Amino acid sequence: MNKNYYAIIMAGGIGSRFWPISRTSHPKQFIDILGTGKTLIQNTYDRFLKICPKENIYVVTNEIYTDLVKKQLPDMTDNQILTEPVMRNTAPCVAYGSFKIENLDPNAAIVVAPSDHLILDEAAFISAIEKSLEAASGNDCLITLGIKPSRPDTGYGYIQYTEQNLNGDFFKVKTFTEKPTLEIAKTFIQSGDFLWNAGIFIWSAKSIVNAFNKHLPDMHEIFADARSVYNTAEEKALIHKTYLQCINISIDYGIMEKADNVYVLPSEFGWSDLGTWASIYDLADKDYVGNAVIPSDKVIMYDSSNCMVNVPEDKLVILQGLHDYIVVESNNTLLICPRDQEQNVKKVVADVKQQFGTKYI
């Protein structure tokens, strides 16, 4: 196992699309949302244990989730849990982790990944990450993993690549496109040179620090000025103070779309970003009429099909004549909505917050 390989797990989101199961106080990365026996962040951590030493794995999360991280990942030290005082999207979180690691090990190669994704083929995932870490160690490049698309999905970002390549495996990125319309997604699939953006990045510490200096110089200055306190008792206080100065921007917009040394590795490892209830439904075990019930065995269904049901284990639920619906209960809240309208959940959360405050959020 290479001692210069590091992992940054991004775990600061609140997962509002999975409300009411995912709440501000206990978001989806800390939930066993698929009923596997482990939470999403535990599965992510376990995957990286096979790639780099456990002391080289860092979690960046909101300060309010510190205790959840410690409880679910008890092997992590306080120095490995990097806390954000406010949500500022992914660029500051990547900068914090990368600058801290660079300060510790200038020869580091880093993989950055979300805490809440599903990987079905772990061996293929590990192979792709190790291949990318090796390439990043020897080249000044920013690597992203692109998933070979199986359908024209409007829920994912897309990466277009050219034939120019590095080591024969990593292709020069031409464009990034945020979630397209269905018609545009269809043309992407037909063209054959587009991949889904998995939001997983690999680079050397030197390359990403240089990229911040070039494309987000103000943010570079904030984290470069903290070099004297990384891995000391003063780190948290200074970072929490200066973090407020960071602009709210994603690593995709801030760096990946601007840099000219971005490469993509076309990959297949059974990936899902678990972004919506529909993605959970697609992956869940279903009965002969398409109902997915997680995790309760006290749900009785009559003349009902293609429903996604997630209710407390001790709750008896009877459904009759319901087709293509999501039924979710948690936190003294019941949500019932058509599966094809689940994109409205974020608006529902906003409306609930406006009417009832944060009690149910």
Side-chain angles (χ1 to χ4, degrees):
M1 192 172 285
N2 194 318
K3 64 180 176 54
N4 298 120
Y5 288 175
Y6 293 77
I8 298 172
I9 300 172
M10 299 182 290
I14 59 172
S16 59
R17 287 186 180 87
F18 283 97
W19 183 83
I21 296 285
S22 180
R23 313 187 298 283
T24 301
S25 62
H26 200 100
K28 72 165 179 168
Q29 60 267 32
F30 301 107
I31 298 171
D32 177 12
I33 208 157
L34 288 167
T36 65
K38 287 187 177 180
T39 66
L40 297 178
I41 194 171
Q42 287 173 328
N43 282 322
T44 302
Y45 177 79
D46 287 350
R47 279 194 292 274
F48 286 124
L49 283 177
K50 298 179 174 76
I51 293 167
C52 55
K54 73 175 182 179
E55 61 270 18
N56 289 10
I57 302 175
Y58 293 83
V59 169
V60 187
T61 191
N62 193 287
E63 186 180 19
I64 64 174
Y65 304 137
T66 305
D67 289 342
L68 275 171
V69 174
K70 287 181 177 180
K71 183 179 178 182
Q72 296 198 4
L73 305 175
D75 283 351
M76 295 204 87
T77 65
D78 288 348
N79 188 51
Q80 292 169 274
I81 303 171
L82 315 188
T83 60
E84 306 169 285
V86 290
M87 292 178 70
R88 284 288 189 270
N89 216 316
T90 53
C93 125
V94 169
Y96 182 12
S98 299
F99 273 82
K100 179 181 170 82
I101 291 169
E102 183 241 13
N103 189 260
L104 201 64
D105 180 1
N107 297 314
I110 305 167
V111 51
V112 181
S115 58
D116 53 2
H117 287 186
L118 175 73
I119 308 294
L120 292 175
D121 188 344
E122 197 169 81
F125 174 79
I126 291 168
S127 175
I129 298 296
E130 288 180 337
K131 183 189 289 188
S132 301
L133 285 165
E134 185 179 350
S137 298
N139 299 276
D140 178 21
C141 59
L142 308 176
I143 295 170
T144 184
L145 299 189
I147 307 300
K148 293 175 183 176
S150 57
R151 60 188 182 277
D153 198 303
T154 60
Y156 296 139
Y158 286 74
I159 300 168
Q160 184 184 24
Y161 61 95
T162 69
E163 291 183 5
Q164 185 181 340
N165 65 78
L166 186 69
N167 300 347
D169 294 308
F170 302 88
F171 294 88
K172 190 81 181 282
V173 170
K174 185 177 180 181
T175 62
F176 285 91
T177 304
E178 280 304 301
K179 300 170 182 177
T181 64
L182 183 60
E183 289 308 309
I184 291 174
K186 285 177 180 176
T187 64
F188 286 174
I189 303 298
Q190 287 164 2
S191 74
D193 57 357
F194 282 83
L195 301 163
W196 287 337
N197 186 353
I200 300 169
F201 309 105
I202 303 96
W203 39 55
S204 69
K206 289 192 186 84
S207 290
I208 190 61
V209 165
N210 289 339
F212 271 100
N213 189 32
K214 186 174 182 181
H215 303 292
L216 290 173
D218 291 345
M219 198 173 293
H220 177 276
E221 186 178 349
I222 289 167
F223 290 99
D225 285 350
R227 281 192 169 115
S228 61
V229 302
Y230 288 127
N231 307 295
T232 72
E234 289 78 44
E235 176 185 322
K236 181 176 177 178
L238 181 63
I239 292 296
H240 277 220
K241 182 181 176 183
T242 56
Y243 216 88
L244 303 172
Q245 301 168 26
C246 292
I247 59 170
N248 188 328
I249 191 169
S250 71
I251 192 71
D252 299 77
Y253 279 126
I255 288 180
M256 301 303 281
E257 293 185 15
K258 299 174 183 174
D260 58 5
N261 59 337
V262 179
Y263 291 82
V264 64
L265 176 64
S267 308
E268 287 182 285
F269 41 73
W271 170 87
S272 171
D273 71 346
L274 298 181
T276 62
W277 279 116
S279 62
I280 300 293
Y281 174 82
D282 289 342
L283 293 158
D285 292 333
K286 304 173 191 68
D287 65 16
Y288 69 102
V289 285
N291 293 314
V293 181
I294 305 173
S296 176
D297 58 0
K298 292 189 175 70
V299 177
I300 302 173
M301 307 182 79
Y302 301 97
D303 182 29
S304 297
S305 63
N306 303 319
C307 289
M308 171 79 233
V309 184
N310 189 312
V311 294
E313 290 189 38
D314 59 349
K315 168 108 14 172
L316 175 62
V317 176
I318 293 91
L319 301 177
Q320 180 162 4
L322 206 61
H323 305 277
D324 300 291
Y325 265 75
I326 296 166
V327 180
V328 184
E329 183 182 350
S330 182
N331 190 32
N332 202 24
T333 304
L334 175 64
L335 172 73
I336 303 171
C337 79
R339 274 180 41 219
D340 62 0
Q341 293 178 37
E342 64 156 12
Q343 65 273 16
N344 294 331
V345 171
K346 280 191 98 167
K347 181 182 183 302
V348 169
V349 171
D351 291 344
V352 169
K353 187 174 182 180
Q354 185 177 11
Q355 289 188 46
F356 302 106
T358 57
K359 178 182 178 182
Y360 298 100
I361 307 300

